[in-house]
Amino acid sequence: FRVPPVKLISDGVIQQDIADILAAHKTMEQSYWGDLNGQLNLSNNDALVDGLKGQVGSTDFSINGAIKNFTPYFLTGNQALSVVGAFHSNYCNIADLLTRKKQAEAPADKANSGADGFVQYAFPEKINFNVDLHVAKLDWAPFTASNIRGNFKLIDQRLSANGLNIDLAGGTCSGDVLIDGTSGNGFIATAHTKVENVQLPKLLALFENFGQDLLTPDNAKGVLTATTDCYFPITASLEIPADKMMATSSISIKKGEL
């Protein structure tokens, strides 16, 4: 380990390039973060960030705000990293932001999952955040959406989205979502949402027909407005078992065809 170059900008506060921090700590998983660039004002263990830009897999991001425990997290990994601020991304793939945990043996139904083996996902144990978020395009296959806005918190492996607004399937969706990943073996999601003027065929395609075959994009037409309260588990391999989904909805369909 070597000490990266720093610049003293005031009493007790230094300025440092993030690239220098990563280069100085050879055991850091730099490939996970990809390009991470910008300058930080460091004070003790914390950092103030203005225009931090980086990439995780295919996901790009920029952050403005404060990062608590920045130095011990990146240099030793023995403390939780906490971020408070604003987050922007032109493209975000949810799988990029989850921790990959490779199993030695796959379940029987995943035996042919490829050379990388059966991969499980979990929320990171040592990253917390509270951010006002804007994502221009989001992917969580097969789900896609655009212009996502809201306040997102990840605290102790529980992700909440409050005041959420999304453009999807030709309409809009708003509401609040909680995804609990504390079990370490998948996630539990609960949500209260309202969708307005959504194209029914596009919505069915996004959610793989919600696990049924009566209504499909080929035979169901119409413009949907609905209020829904729902509960559903998400497996560690990011699949949603259709037989375990529960929801209550108030639904209106205009120009409907079947």
Side-chain angles (χ1 to χ4, degrees), residues 207-214 240-243 245:
F207 290 95
E208 296 183 317
N209 301 331
F210 297 96
Q212 52 81 48
D213 55 14
L214 177 62
I240 299 176
D243 60 340
M245 295 179 65

Side-chain angles (χ1 to χ4, degrees), residues 68-97:
K68 184 175 178 60
N69 292 330
F70 176 87
T71 302
Y73 175 81
F74 276 97
L75 298 187
T76 68
N78 63 5
Q79 293 193 38
L81 184 76
S82 296
V83 180
V84 177
F87 178 99
H88 174 81
S89 176
N90 294 307
Y91 173 77
C92 179
N93 188 323
I94 294 296
D96 290 333
L97 305 181

Side-chain angles (χ1 to χ4, degrees), residues 34-63:
D35 295 328
L36 190 62
N37 297 294
Q39 288 188 327
L40 302 176
N41 292 331
L42 301 177
S43 179
N44 296 319
N45 289 331
D46 304 329
L48 294 177
V49 182
D50 184 12
L52 170 61
K53 296 182 179 180
Q55 190 161 339
V56 181
S58 58
T59 297
D60 68 87
F61 65 89
S62 63
I63 299 173

Side-chain angles (χ1 to χ4, degrees), residues 238-258:
L238 304 186
E239 298 174 338
I240 299 176
D243 60 340
K244 295 182 179 180
M245 295 179 65
M246 295 185 291
T248 57
S249 297
S250 175
I251 298 174
S252 171
I253 299 178
K254 297 180 180 180
K255 302 178 181 179
E257 297 180 18
L258 181 62

Side-chain angles (χ1 to χ4, degrees), residues 130-150:
N130 181 351
V131 298
D132 292 324
L133 177 143
H134 178 252
V135 174
K137 182 179 179 181
L138 180 139
D139 276 339
W140 191 358
F143 178 82
T144 62
S146 60
N147 199 22
I148 298 97
R149 298 92 68 202

